[in-house]
Every structure is written in C-alpha cells, then in structure tokens.
Amino acid sequence: MTDQLSKHRHISFTAHYTGYIWYQMGISHSAFATKKGKTLAAIAHPIESWAEKYVGGSMRTTLKARHTMLDDRLIELIQQYPDLQVLEIAAGLSPRGWWFRKNYPDLVYRELDLPDMAATKQAALAEIDQHQPQLISVDLFSDDFQRAFDLFDPKRPLVVISEGLINYFDKALLQQLISSIAHYGAAFPAMHYLTDLYPEPVKNKLAKIIWSSSKLLKLMSRSAFSFHFTAPAQAEQFFKQAGFPEVEVIQPAIYFATENTDLNPHEHLGDLVWMIDAKLK
C-alpha cells in the first residue's frame, strides 16, 4: 500500500466531480455518484451552462469528449488484441472498468489509485457486484509501481490507461511516470498507453479565464497542475523521449468531425483536451 499521506492525495477530490458528471450524462452507475460529487457539480452548473451557451463548450463537455475518445480507442484495441489486458491508473470514480468488465467478461481489467480513493471505489463496486477485482494501490513514482505490472500475464498485450491525471504533474515527474510505464511495459508483446492531455488553451477565446481556473485547481488540488504543450508535435516528442517510439495525438475537432475536413492535425486546433495513444511495440 502507498503512504496515506502521499503528496498527490488531494488530486482525488476532482474524481468526485467527474464521477458525478459521468453519472449525470447517463454513462455511469449511481454507485459512483457521491454526495461530494453532487455538491461540486451543483456549484459548477451555472458556470458550465453559461460556457456551453456562449463559448460552445465547458468542462463537462470536455469530460465527455475525452471519455468517449478513450473508450472508443480501447474498444478498437480489444478488437485488435482479443487477449488484451488493461491497467487503469488513477481510476478514481470512473465507470470505465465496471463498464468494460460487464461488456467484455473475458477482459482482464484492473484499476489502481491512492489508498483512500481505492477504498471508496472498492466500496462503490461492491454495491454493484461483490465479485469485482480488488483495486491496486501502489506509488506511481517509486519502484513499487512495478508490482502493478507484475499482476498481468507478460505473454499477453497490455494497455495502460489514465484520464484526468497527467496535467497534475510537472514535466520532470510526468516524464518519470511515462518512462516508468514504458520501462515496465517492455515485458509485454504489445503495449499501449492511452491518456488524455490538456494543452495550453492558446487558441481559445477564454484562454485567460481558463488559465486563472487552472491556477485555482492547482491550489485546491495542492498539485503542480499546468499546461505543458502548445502543439501536438511537442507532446509527441515528449512521449518519444520518455520511451514510446510511436505516438499519435488525436484532437476532438478532427475526431468528431461529421464530414471531411482540411484541418491540420499537426496544429493546435483549439480543443481543450487531446488524446494520446503511445505505442511501445
């Protein structure tokens, strides 16, 4: 078990908000909708509604976009690798593990989080089904992280997935995390790391407000929350330097386009979130 006083423990409060938003959207289970999440969602609702009306998007629409893209890509990988295994780190109150285990009964899917959040999630899962697998609690930034990988069959492909996590770390810690995933993932015949990533909101007309909000989130979560990249190529190069030779940066503007578009995938298209699919082999 990791230290209960992990310096990253305060990040977990955002899991309550996102968990409730997913429930509101009809893509989650009521067991993952906490009272704290309901309160946070109620506080944010007026601002979110204003942003959706006058800006064309909000935090909750961004949450839906990133969740949809990650789920879609994971389904594609399951179809590509029938014997796939999945490790979701910082799983929080996401319904993903529950949904995929329900819809793909043969899928080996394990979730990992800090001890307090892992206990909360385990209790929620027990409300749905007592036979849900035990959550894993290890320190992502020590050799202890390897224990999570040791739980999987090294003869079968592995996907590591995270959502709403990596912007909470400075670049040095982020590179350490990605490098560790690449290092421990090297034991598997094929390995992908799927994650969302918030780029700098340089092309958004409310960039200053978003920047101010990020500073508040940084304070509330007692983390190093920040935006690290202004162009897809920067993110791609960062992941490559951390040990992933193949990196794809997916932007919602292109992903959700309903018709052929001339948008340049190498430019920042103004989306608040991107998806990364980093492949090791």
Side-chain angles (χ1 to χ4, degrees):
M1 298 287 283
T2 49
D3 185 353
Q4 285 289 118
L5 298 179
S6 165
K7 65 181 180 179
H8 303 299
R9 66 192 183 280
H10 303 286
I11 296 172
S12 294
F13 91 93
T14 61
H16 290 274
Y17 172 80
T18 54
Y20 196 83
I21 292 299
W22 286 321
Y23 170 66
Q24 278 189 326
M25 290 178 177
I27 60 175
S28 188
H29 192 284
S30 58
F32 305 129
T34 65
K35 291 182 179 179
K36 184 184 291 186
K38 184 177 182 179
T39 299
L40 291 169
I43 292 171
H45 179 73
I47 300 172
E48 294 284 84
S49 297
W50 177 88
E52 287 162 13
K53 183 175 181 179
Y54 294 104
V55 182
S58 67
M59 184 160 56
R60 60 192 177 197
T61 58
T62 301
L63 289 175
K64 186 175 183 178
R66 78 184 196 192
H67 199 78
T68 300
M69 289 193 297
L70 287 167
D71 279 3
D72 287 353
R73 181 53 61 95
L74 183 52
I75 289 172
E76 290 175 1
L77 291 174
I78 291 172
Q79 293 170 345
Q80 181 178 350
Y81 305 108
D83 58 344
L84 188 69
Q85 309 169 101
V86 183
L87 169 63
E88 183 170 8
I89 59 176
L93 293 168
S94 168
R96 180 172 290 113
W98 159 73
W99 189 92
F100 273 91
R101 284 190 293 265
K102 182 179 71 170
N103 288 277
Y104 298 90
D106 296 329
L107 179 66
V108 175
Y109 194 115
R110 299 296 300 271
E111 299 174 76
L112 179 156
D113 214 314
L114 295 170
D116 286 347
M117 180 51 66
T120 299
K121 181 65 167 290
Q122 197 75 58
L125 287 169
E127 290 182 30
I128 305 170
D129 181 358
Q130 290 285 347
H131 301 291
Q132 298 285 335
Q134 188 72 26
L135 264 80
I136 309 164
S137 287
V138 299
D139 185 351
L140 298 177
F141 297 99
S142 76
D143 293 340
D144 193 37
F145 192 20
Q146 182 173 355
R147 287 201 296 112
F149 290 82
D150 290 343
L151 296 173
F152 295 91
D153 185 346
K155 296 180 181 179
R156 298 168 57 184
L158 177 70
V159 166
V160 176
I161 189 168
S162 66
E163 183 172 6
L165 174 68
I166 65 176
N167 283 87
Y168 285 99
F169 308 125
D170 61 32
K171 271 192 169 182
L173 267 184
L174 179 54
Q175 187 164 62
Q176 180 184 338
L177 174 62
I178 299 171
S179 295
S180 293
I181 293 171
H183 175 70
Y184 299 131
F188 298 85
M191 190 267 169
H192 288 252
Y193 176 35
L194 303 181
T195 185
D196 65 316
L197 180 154
Y198 286 87
E200 290 191 22
V202 291
K203 292 200 173 185
N204 193 287
K205 56 186 175 182
L206 291 183
K208 290 183 179 179
I209 295 177
I210 296 169
W211 266 103
S212 299
S213 298
S214 72
K215 291 177 182 177
L216 177 61
L217 182 58
K218 181 177 181 177
L219 178 65
M220 293 175 66
S221 61
R222 303 183 199 178
S223 70
F225 187 94
S226 55
F227 305 110
H228 299 307
F229 310 107
T230 58
Q234 293 175 340
E236 181 180 339
Q237 186 61 29
F238 187 84
F239 276 74
K240 286 183 176 179
Q241 289 175 344
F244 284 94
E246 296 183 38
V247 183
E248 185 180 2
V249 181
I250 300 99
Q251 301 185 67
I254 295 176
Y255 187 86
F256 292 108
T258 56
E259 56 187 29
N260 291 333
T261 175
D262 293 328
L263 294 174
N264 186 345
H266 304 295
E267 293 182 359
H268 188 325
L269 300 174
D271 291 304
L272 294 180
V273 69
W274 300 338
M275 182 179 75
I276 306 290
D277 182 354
K279 184 179 179 181
L280 198 58
K281 297 177 183 178

